[in-house]
Amino acid sequence: MSDSLTQKPRHGRHWWRGDSTGLRLARHTLALVALAVVAVPFADLAILTRDPWGELARMARGLAWPAWGTLESPLEALGLTVAVALWGTLGGLALGFPLALLFARSRLVRAVCAFVRAIHELFWALLFLQVFGLSAATALMALAIPYAGIFAKVYAEILEQISAAPRDALPRGVGRLSRFVYAELPLAWARLAAYTRYRFECALRASVLLGFVGLPTLGFQLETAFREGRYHEAGALLWLFYLLIASLPWWGHRRLIPLLVLGGAFLLGPWPTVEGGLLWRFVSEDIWPRALLAGDWGGLVEWFARIPDLGPAIGNTLLLGLLGSVGTLLVALALWPLASRHFGNPVTRLAGRGLLVFLRSTPELMLAFFFLLLLGPSLLPAWLALALHNGALIAFLVARHADAIIPGMPGVNTAGRLAYELLPRLYPGILALLYYRAEVILRETAILGMLGVATLGYYIDENFEYLLFDVAFFLLLVTAALNIAVDALSRRLRPRETAVIDDPCQR
């Protein structure tokens, strides 16, 4: 992972002037946009509410005049949100750290990490909800399991990129753990710590989202207030959420972490009482088809026949993922100049950066929920949410790296500087980041079904609700397989000649 999105012109020319890499990137972009244009007629993008602008005005008034006095136990919800995020991150770290040391040498470890990473935290929460109920154990497991796969992969990548000279200097026969402690950890410590801090920020957003499945974090109160039309109360909760994220550098300082860990431990209880027999039955029987456990292949065929037609659900998931990816690219291209020092004035740049921080800090599920209230249940709210969140995230990174470029064409107007100097040097990195985000976009596409969008997540949530655990688990496996396939495809398409910064929250 490099800290540069830019690629220097070769022999004084920009990459797309007769350069095969630039032509290939242009073909990738045109193919992606063409696929989206062809797919748009098959997407349900209807607006199904009578007065979306009136609803938007009521939401805006609620955000502008929050009703702080109507909140019930906001500090308790905030504390639980932080405690779940912190302990979930620590759990993922404890599980993923040993796996990182084996990641490069074990295909089994890589496969397991890919699987647990491909299932969203909310789906893990729905699964553990059946065993641990509405408890902290459900929340912690929902974060720790996928984060273990994420930590293992990212830590392994960081360790692979450090200098091999200290490792080579150690005597032969030194074990893997000793090599790590004495030769790798000192060089990688700063990057490992930086990534861990960023993953904790992602865990905060995920902890809020766990409220959408009934866990008493800040998201539970937020969803309830919005769904009941209490927008002034919802506005106060939203401001609390954004203040929590914005103030993270202060209250999340490394010197305060031990206090947060101890304090969070008291907020996580009470812990559920789970009988070992029931847990084993759920893992070994309830989530598997009875015909499969009995070896009845004819009955297994009948079981498959009873599953709802997955064609439309898979099609909507892939379609929304494609439209979300193209929308992300368009939003990123439109928004990054708003926050770059090369354009506008200090006031407009401050407003642009504020907009990007707002959009990238708001999870897709929360944005989709807002748009769902405005526009009704179709693919349109989900498309807007995916495009705005991921596009703002990429635009934020691109603007930061564009600021490091020193223009070499004096006297060129703003449009010329954008078209002929900055964009040609930044676009390979933009496209690479888009392919990095492709797997995450598809993963988020699936969970948007929990809001009623007809993706795989809709049927997963429905089958959990009707206690059809075997069908729900099968659909989770289908979702994981789709995510792994898209991740593999995006790796093949990703521009390899371009140095990019890897977004830690993408996996």
Side-chain angles (χ1 to χ4, degrees):
M1 290 181 291
S2 170
D3 60 354
S4 175
L5 263 174
T6 61
Q7 184 177 11
K8 294 182 180 179
R10 301 174 183 174
H11 306 295
R13 299 184 301 171
H14 292 305
W15 62 270
W16 59 23
R17 297 181 182 177
D19 188 281
S20 60
T21 300
L23 292 176
R24 188 176 73 252
L25 296 182
R27 287 197 295 268
H28 283 187
T29 304
L30 290 175
L32 198 63
V33 173
L35 280 174
V37 170
V38 171
V40 162
F42 299 96
D44 176 17
L45 303 177
I47 297 176
L48 302 175
T49 54
R50 296 181 179 179
D51 187 20
W53 293 110
E55 197 71 17
L56 180 61
R58 287 188 286 273
M59 287 185 181
R61 286 195 295 269
L63 189 62
W65 292 282
W68 300 103
T70 62
L71 299 183
E72 296 182 5
S73 305
L75 295 181
E76 182 179 349
L78 277 176
L80 184 60
T81 300
V82 173
V84 167
L86 182 57
W87 278 93
T89 303
L90 291 176
L93 178 61
L95 295 172
F97 187 81
L99 296 176
L101 303 181
L102 304 172
F103 192 87
R105 297 187 299 173
S106 173
R107 182 173 299 178
L108 177 61
V109 169
R110 293 195 297 273
V112 170
C113 291
F115 172 74
V116 299
R117 207 172 58 241
I119 298 177
H120 196 276
E121 298 93 302
L122 286 185
F123 288 151
W124 284 112
L126 286 176
L127 191 63
F128 290 118
L129 197 65
Q130 317 309 320
V131 179
F132 302 113
L134 291 172
S135 68
T138 296
L140 296 185
M141 296 290 286
L143 292 182
I145 296 298
Y147 279 25
I150 295 171
F151 276 125
K153 183 177 187 299
V154 177
Y155 281 0
E157 290 178 349
I158 292 174
L159 295 175
E160 285 178 0
Q161 294 171 9
I162 63 176
S163 174
R167 292 196 300 264
D168 297 339
L170 294 175
R172 291 185 178 181
V174 174
R176 179 71 184 91
L177 183 60
S178 297
R179 288 205 316 272
F180 170 75
V181 172
Y182 293 106
E184 298 173 350
L185 183 59
L187 296 177
W189 176 258
R191 297 178 67 185
L192 293 173
Y195 178 78
T196 305
R197 287 194 298 269
Y198 201 17
R199 177 51 51 187
F200 173 59
E201 181 182 339
C202 298
L204 280 174
R205 290 191 282 268
S207 178
V208 171
L209 289 184
L210 290 176
F212 280 69
V213 297
L215 295 167
T217 62
L218 193 63
F220 177 77
Q221 297 185 16
L222 189 61
E223 185 209 16
T224 303
F226 268 110
R227 198 176 291 278
E228 295 179 358
R230 295 182 277 117
Y231 295 140
H232 293 281
E233 180 181 337
L237 292 167
L238 267 181
W239 280 115
L240 279 178
F241 169 69
Y242 292 125
L243 289 173
L244 180 70
I245 298 296
S247 61
L248 178 59
W250 291 277
W251 62 262
H253 193 274
R254 64 179 182 274
R255 295 179 180 176
L256 298 177
I257 293 298
L259 294 177
L260 293 175
V261 171
L262 292 175
F266 290 100
L267 295 176
L268 292 176
W271 296 94
T273 301
V274 180
E275 296 183 16
L278 292 178
L279 177 60
W280 176 248
R281 175 183 173 181
F282 180 77
V283 174
S284 62
E285 297 182 19
D286 291 348
I287 62 175
W288 305 102
R290 293 183 181 275
L292 177 64
L293 297 176
D296 181 6
W297 304 114
L300 188 61
V301 172
E302 295 179 2
W303 179 83
F304 274 113
R306 291 197 300 269
I307 293 178
D309 185 10
L310 295 182
I314 294 175
N316 280 334
T317 301
L318 294 175
L319 175 60
L320 187 54
L322 173 63
L323 295 179
S325 298
V326 174
T328 294
L329 177 61
L330 298 179
V331 169
L333 291 173
L335 293 186
W336 77 261
L338 299 180
S340 174
R341 69 178 179 86
H342 299 290
F343 307 99
N345 54 59
V347 176
T348 59
R349 286 194 293 272
L350 181 62
R353 288 168 186 164
L355 175 63
L356 294 184
V357 169
F358 169 78
L359 291 175
R360 69 185 286 266
S361 298
T362 308
E364 293 99 321
L365 187 67
M366 195 178 296
L367 282 174
F369 183 67
F370 300 156
F371 288 125
L372 187 70
L373 295 176
L374 290 173
L375 306 173
S378 71
L379 293 184
L380 183 58
W383 184 13
L384 291 174
L386 290 169
L388 290 174
H389 173 82
N390 292 284
L393 194 151
I394 293 177
F396 183 86
L397 295 173
V398 172
R400 186 174 65 183
H401 290 277
D403 289 346
I405 297 177
I406 301 176
M409 301 171 63
V412 177
N413 60 23
T414 300
R417 187 184 307 121
L418 173 65
Y420 297 108
E421 185 164 14
L422 294 176
L423 189 57
R425 296 169 69 177
L426 293 170
Y427 189 74
I430 295 174
L431 198 59
L433 281 172
L434 177 68
Y435 286 133
Y436 270 114
R437 295 293 302 177
E439 184 264 342
V440 164
I441 290 173
L442 187 69
R443 196 168 68 112
E444 298 290 343
T445 294
I447 69 159
L448 294 178
M450 295 175 63
L451 299 179
V453 181
T455 62
L456 278 169
Y458 174 81
Y459 295 99
I460 293 173
D461 187 35
E462 182 182 55
N463 282 281
F464 270 122
E465 184 177 351
Y466 288 111
L467 305 181
L468 299 175
F469 302 134
D470 52 346
V471 178
F473 187 67
F474 172 74
L475 296 178
L476 280 177
L477 296 179
V478 173
T479 303
L482 283 179
N483 278 271
I484 292 172
V486 169
D487 186 39
L489 178 62
S490 66
R491 287 178 180 276
R492 292 181 61 88
L493 296 176
R494 190 179 306 152
R496 298 185 179 183
E497 299 87 349
T498 306
V500 299
I501 184 171
D502 190 0
D503 164 34
C505 262
Q506 63 162 312
R507 300 183 179 88

